[in-house]
Amino acid sequence: MKHSPNSPILLTSSLHVDEARKAISEMVEELIQEAKVIGDPNDIEVVSLDQAIDRILAEDLLSPIDVPAADNSAMDGFAFDGACLDTSKPEIILRIVGTAYAGKPFEGKIQQGECLKIMTGALMPVGCDTVIPQEFTNAKEDLQIAFQQNQLKRGENRRLRGEDLQQGKPAIATGRLLRPSDLGLAASLGIASLKVKRRLKVAILSSGDELRSLGQALDTGSIYDSNRYSLTGLLNRLNLEIIDCGIVRDEPASLKEAFCAAAKRADVLISSGGVSVGEADFTKQIMQELGDVGFWKIAMRPGRPMAFGILKPVAGKNPARKTLFFGLPGNPVAVMVTFYQFVRAALLQLNGANQTEPPLMQAISEAPIRKKPGRTEFQRAILGRDSNGKPTVKLTGSQGAGILRSMSEANCFVILGHEQGNIAAGDWVDVALFDGLL
Ligand code: AMP
Ligand code: MG
């Protein structure tokens, strides 16, 4: 392993967010190479298009046909032989000899001086290569139209056979996280089902003596376990199979048992809590027995402590299958930020996605933001627009790592890079939106 998570460098100094991401990505790549998590052909399923949304395509989808299958009109208008545009006459007059509809082609041939009324999507008739849109023409008597010679060029407003996709060429590449448009595209090729990667099995658990499940009474000092619910929501967005392992007490035997049980069933285990300085020693001891896990101090806010590594295959499980482990910090906002920053991309990568990073945009900060260089910060904010239509962001109140309301009210993160210092009102900052459109 190139980047052992237990490397002493990673333990003593704060780790740059980018270094942590790189180490995670390398470990995931190694697991994929070893085909020990989800890389082998047994991990491919065939699903119908209506079940394929948010799944990851397991092999290139080759187009069985040319799209479009034949030349057709891109506009409602009149089709004709564009050779007649090669003239010094300013006006062209053509006689309408018929009509072609989408799905109802015109069978005859169009001669010089003639044209065909044609609808969008209708096949181009023999002898025609150009379409003049309806709105550029004047109707004349005796079924004739007139238009200006300089209004278009030969070949315009015609879609060529195969211009969208050619038969035998990839229409969608392996690793695509399938979106609505991909399902439409597959359907347009007459393909009813797709080969996709099976859904990753992801186990989640919360650790902490103070945690109570919903429905239990809160005694002094106890709190409700919220992390499993935000994690479930985050994982559902990725269409994964979730194994809920509940709440585990801060007690070595219980933790060990829970980790082993999760490792037996899951490709990935995500725990929250129990990795902060006060508690890590205790968890570390268990991890030494169960796998190769590093305890990181990451130069970020929120979300400084995090454990990451692999759990060895446990008895009763296919010995070739290791479990990827993320020990996220317990603070409710830190859980979501570390998931967004580290776990999401790793899950997508592990499942073979070729695009793992959500898009970033930029917006103008409405107010100053205090920021120390030397760590990456994820502030919660609301994206809006100023009076000139430019994107703006405004932080959502108090930004403490435990204040989940700051997340709930926000619609984006403002991401302030490692080297970045204070932000002045009016500065442009990087923004990651919580929800994508498609
Ligand atoms: P820890 O990382 O275990 O030190 O926890 C940090 C903070 O997060 C403490 O205030 C915990 O009570 C809180 N916390 C830990 N786990 C959860 C959870 N599952 N739900 C809500 N808060 C939690
Ligand atoms: Mg704790």
Side-chain angles (χ1 to χ4, degrees):
M1 192 170 296
K2 267 173 273 148
H3 266 268
S4 169
N6 275 325
S7 152
I9 303 166
L10 307 187
L11 282 172
T12 50
S13 61
S14 269
L15 192 59
H16 192 298
V17 161
D18 291 345
E19 286 178 273
R21 291 163 60 90
K22 187 160 172 275
I24 293 170
S25 169
E26 284 175 3
M27 168 91 79
V28 171
E29 186 54 35
E30 210 165 297
L31 285 179
I32 293 170
Q33 293 302 331
E34 292 174 10
K36 284 184 178 166
V37 175
I38 196 165
D40 72 46
N42 295 328
D43 294 322
I44 292 173
E45 294 173 2
V46 177
V47 295
S48 61
L49 285 189
D50 57 354
Q51 299 298 311
I53 192 72
D54 292 337
R55 300 294 294 268
I56 292 164
L57 192 66
E59 64 173 29
D60 281 353
L61 184 72
L62 303 181
S63 179
I65 51 173
D66 283 331
V67 179
D71 294 1
N72 68 75
S73 177
M75 305 286 277
D76 288 344
F78 299 89
F80 61 97
D81 179 355
C84 69
L85 294 170
D86 189 14
T87 172
S88 52
K89 279 193 243 156
E91 189 181 58
I92 293 183
I93 297 174
L94 300 172
R95 193 163 61 81
I96 307 168
V97 296
T99 306
Y101 299 93
K104 222 194 265 174
F106 178 78
E107 304 292 351
K109 185 169 189 292
I110 305 300
Q111 310 289 342
Q112 287 268 317
E114 294 178 347
C115 70
L116 182 76
K117 190 168 165 60
I118 194 163
M119 307 301 153
T120 306
L123 294 192
M124 290 292 280
V126 179
C128 294
D129 59 6
T130 307
V131 174
I132 178 85
Q134 166 112 39
E135 56 272 28
F136 292 159
T137 63
N138 291 315
K140 303 196 71 121
E141 54 205 49
D142 295 340
L143 284 176
Q144 294 198 104
I145 53 155
F147 57 91
Q148 298 303 304
Q149 177 273 347
N150 60 6
Q151 229 145 11
L152 83 168
K153 294 200 173 61
R154 188 171 190 181
E156 273 184 41
N157 304 314
R158 168 192 54 166
R159 300 178 187 137
L160 287 172
R161 172 183 181 151
E163 78 172 21
D164 194 355
L165 285 170
Q166 282 164 15
Q167 186 179 7
K169 294 271 168 61
I172 311 176
T174 311
R176 171 72 58 82
L177 179 63
L178 294 165
R179 295 172 303 167
S181 50
D182 299 315
L183 309 185
L185 182 58
S188 76
L189 303 177
I191 293 168
S193 58
L194 295 172
K195 278 190 185 170
V196 297
K197 295 292 177 86
R198 76 166 165 84
R199 293 156 84 211
L200 284 179
K201 294 188 181 114
V202 181
I204 53 172
L205 63 82
S206 296
S207 91
D209 284 340
E210 76 281 26
L211 302 177
R212 299 289 175 271
S213 291
L214 301 185
Q216 285 185 313
L218 284 187
D219 43 329
T220 315
S222 64
I223 57 168
Y224 285 120
D225 168 15
S226 60
N227 289 345
R228 265 185 308 136
Y229 294 87
S230 22
L231 279 174
T232 299
L234 289 164
L235 292 168
N236 273 328
R237 283 268 200 260
L238 295 175
N239 195 4
L240 299 159
E241 201 175 307
I242 300 168
I243 303 169
D244 187 345
C245 298
I247 296 172
V248 183
R249 298 185 68 78
D250 289 323
E251 198 244 318
S254 315
L255 264 178
K256 202 170 155 186
E257 193 186 317
F259 275 58
C260 283
K264 203 179 266 185
R265 295 166 64 199
D267 303 301
V268 182
L269 168 62
I270 304 171
S271 71
S272 71
V275 292
S276 54
V277 178
E279 296 177 310
D281 285 347
F282 168 77
T283 323
K284 255 184 228 168
Q285 194 193 332
I286 300 163
M287 287 305 160
Q288 261 167 8
E289 293 171 44
L290 297 182
D292 184 10
V293 174
F295 286 74
W296 292 348
K297 277 188 281 176
I298 303 176
M300 68 186 286
R301 205 167 92 159
R304 196 164 126 89
M306 193 175 106
F308 169 73
I310 47 170
L311 304 182
K312 286 182 253 179
V314 289
K317 195 184 180 199
N318 175 351
R321 297 283 167 132
K322 293 173 181 168
T323 301
L324 199 62
F325 169 66
F326 290 91
L328 304 184
N331 268 315
V333 179
V335 165
M336 299 192 77
V337 170
T338 47
F339 181 94
Y340 162 77
Q341 187 60 8
F342 303 111
V343 186
R344 184 182 179 281
L347 294 174
L348 288 168
Q349 186 189 348
L350 187 61
N351 215 358
N354 54 15
Q355 168 73 47
T356 59
E357 295 308 319
L360 281 184
M361 60 173 289
Q362 286 218 312
I364 298 165
S365 182
E366 283 186 20
I369 306 174
R370 287 168 65 98
K371 161 75 171 61
K372 276 192 201 154
R375 67 185 183 209
T376 306
E377 291 194 7
F378 298 83
Q379 308 261 357
R380 281 74 69 199
I382 295 170
L383 184 73
R385 283 193 181 278
D386 67 12
S387 52
N388 300 317
K390 293 224 174 83
T392 57
V393 276
K394 187 176 165 189
L395 301 189
T396 53
S398 181
Q399 297 280 314
I403 302 178
L404 201 49
R405 193 157 62 91
S406 70
M407 245 348 254
S408 175
E409 287 173 0
N411 63 11
C412 65
F413 287 124
V414 166
I415 302 178
L416 304 174
H418 191 86
E419 309 298 345
Q420 177 75 55
N422 288 335
I423 299 287
D427 283 355
W428 286 86
V429 289
D430 280 341
V431 168
L433 270 177
F434 289 171
D435 290 317
L437 184 61
L438 288 180

